[in-house]
Amino acid sequence: MAQRFLVTGGAGYVGSHLVAALLDRGDDVVVLDSLRTGHRAAVLPGARLVELDLADPSGVDAVLADGPWGAVFHFASLSLVGESMRLPFRYLAENGVNAIRLIESCVRHGVERFVLSSTANLFGTPETVPIPETARIDPGSPYGESKWMIERALLWAGRIHGLHSACLRYFNAAGADPAGRLGEDHEPETHLIPLVIDAALGRRPPVEVFGTDYPTSDGTCIRDYVHVTDLADAHLLALAKLVDGNVTWNLGNGAGHSVLAVIRSVEHVAARKVPHRLGTRRPGDPAVLVAGAKAALSAGWRPKFAALDDIVRTALAWRDAHPGGYGDPAPEHVRPSS
Ligand code: UFG
């Protein structure tokens, strides 16, 4: 039976793909997004957009009062590891406080299920790789710390008020809707795959490889890239599992790819050279993050785009078709692709 869901940050990258998955299966969706970093055009027809900042608790409360809600999915947050190393208090305050108020409001209005977009950055520099769900928490940045604050708030919301919650710790979200409706568009863009693709397409300057002296096979950082549609599927599965209790899942493919391997993948898929130069480390970047996603896999999660080339292919298709992103004017440095 169709249900009604609230998705904060549903105009953002991962959130918009979850909204698509909910709409595709016939659910009603309300997106709550400030559009500070999200895009109006990323909210697919069929979903209702409420333009509101989570920093407005009475506004949020009024939206939640208009239930009942099958669940609340919480994506809206600042999400850049590097930026959080420069603006620690902004990350801790905005992400932490806004989410805690949202959770409080959910409890007040009888919401029973809450799904959090959490992060692999909870694990800092991990002791074992792949990283199991049980690994020691030691956030690698104020961004990771802010997500840990929210996970802890959910624990207490569960113990005291019975709120069921899923904490989904993404490794590196990447790729785009295979149907071509949605993609990745941040301003400024700081994520590796879109930057490498744009460099290949001649739309941006050469990519800088952040650090070549890490203890990895080629000296560059290793990450576990996970397709954004596979992440959306994991949210639906987690929601179904929330009937009985709580869920904590690591979401990644269990395969690590270095920065140079990502560049090679884009060169292969795009059949173009990727101009790049070797640079120094970016503060806050752990050398290796690879998921041990045993819990999600045991629950039946089956990623469909586990291969890096497949992830890159969907990302390339969207960026190729949207030189300026979501209908926004193309930035100055964008040159038409040849
Ligand atoms: N990198 C470069 N050059 C660039 C951009 C990135 O070498 O121009 C490197 C980074 O140093 C890192 C890797 O590419 O080693 C991936 O960097 P991203 O910026 O694409 O992603 P992050 O690993 O920093 O962070 C992402 C999300 C976080 C999430 C994290 C989980 O942005 O929200 O994955 O692993 F917490």
Side-chain angles (χ1 to χ4, degrees):
M1 200 181 68
Q3 286 183 292
R4 194 154 159 272
F5 295 103
L6 183 67
V7 183
T8 79
Y13 175 42
V14 186
S16 62
H17 285 77
L18 185 261
V19 171
L22 290 168
L23 293 173
D24 286 349
R25 65 175 207 176
D27 288 316
D28 285 339
V29 182
V30 176
V31 168
L32 199 159
D33 201 299
S34 68
L35 299 183
R36 258 195 296 163
T37 54
H39 305 272
R40 194 179 296 279
V43 180
L44 291 176
R48 183 162 79 86
L49 171 66
V50 177
E51 198 176 328
L52 184 74
D53 201 304
L54 285 185
D56 171 2
S58 52
V60 172
D61 207 62
V63 173
L64 276 159
D66 181 29
W69 301 101
V72 170
F73 293 88
H74 177 45
F75 294 88
S77 82
L78 302 167
S79 64
L80 301 176
V81 172
E83 184 181 63
S84 81
M85 296 297 283
R86 286 183 280 110
L87 304 170
F89 306 116
R90 178 161 180 220
Y91 268 72
L92 294 168
E94 271 191 42
N95 284 358
V97 173
N98 288 350
I100 289 166
R101 286 198 180 123
L102 172 70
I103 295 165
E104 189 182 4
S105 205
C106 286
V107 167
R108 192 177 306 125
H109 295 291
V111 173
E112 290 174 356
R113 297 186 291 174
F114 191 102
V115 182
L116 172 68
S117 161
S118 188
T119 176
N121 195 262
L122 293 190
F123 301 114
T125 301
E127 284 157 356
T128 50
V129 177
I131 307 169
E133 286 84 2
T134 51
R136 192 168 60 88
I137 303 293
D138 182 16
S141 70
Y143 164 66
E145 188 72 47
S146 71
K147 293 287 180 171
W148 181 232
M149 285 165 66
I150 306 169
E151 291 203 9
R152 296 296 296 175
L154 285 171
L155 176 96
W156 289 106
R159 282 187 186 162
I160 297 171
H161 296 288
L163 179 67
H164 289 189
S165 62
C167 296
L168 305 183
R169 298 162 174 176
Y170 316 155
F171 283 62
N172 285 57
D177 175 35
R181 297 168 295 180
L182 303 164
E184 182 168 14
D185 180 10
H186 301 104
E187 188 52 44
E189 188 54 79
T190 63
H191 293 88
L192 182 65
I193 290 182
L195 289 177
V196 172
I197 288 174
D198 281 0
L201 295 175
R203 294 176 181 165
R204 285 187 198 260
V207 175
E208 180 175 350
V209 175
F210 292 149
T212 54
D213 59 348
Y214 285 97
T216 60
S217 55
D218 64 16
T220 68
C221 282
I222 290 182
R223 294 287 180 274
D224 184 343
Y225 296 91
V226 53
H227 196 279
V228 66
T229 300
D230 289 330
L231 288 179
D233 286 349
H235 286 70
L236 301 183
L237 185 62
L239 178 71
K241 300 288 173 195
L242 279 187
V243 176
D244 303 323
N246 296 333
V247 162
T248 301
W249 290 349
N250 286 353
L251 297 175
N253 287 304
H257 303 280
S258 71
V259 175
L260 294 178
V262 169
I263 289 175
R264 281 196 302 277
S265 171
V266 171
E267 288 185 333
H268 170 67
V269 172
R272 290 176 187 229
K273 279 287 174 209
V274 173
H276 63 278
R277 63 187 178 83
L278 306 180
T280 54
R281 291 184 178 201
R282 182 175 68 177
D285 278 341
V288 182
L289 286 176
V290 175
K294 204 167 152 196
L297 294 169
S298 312
W301 184 51
R302 296 288 173 267
K304 298 187 190 78
F305 299 90
L308 181 60
D309 283 359
D310 292 341
I311 293 173
V312 165
R313 198 166 287 114
T314 60
L316 175 68
W318 194 80
R319 288 193 86 79
D320 206 14
H322 300 85
Y326 280 108
D328 307 329
E332 285 280 293
H333 51 253
V334 170
R335 296 196 307 268
S337 60
S338 50

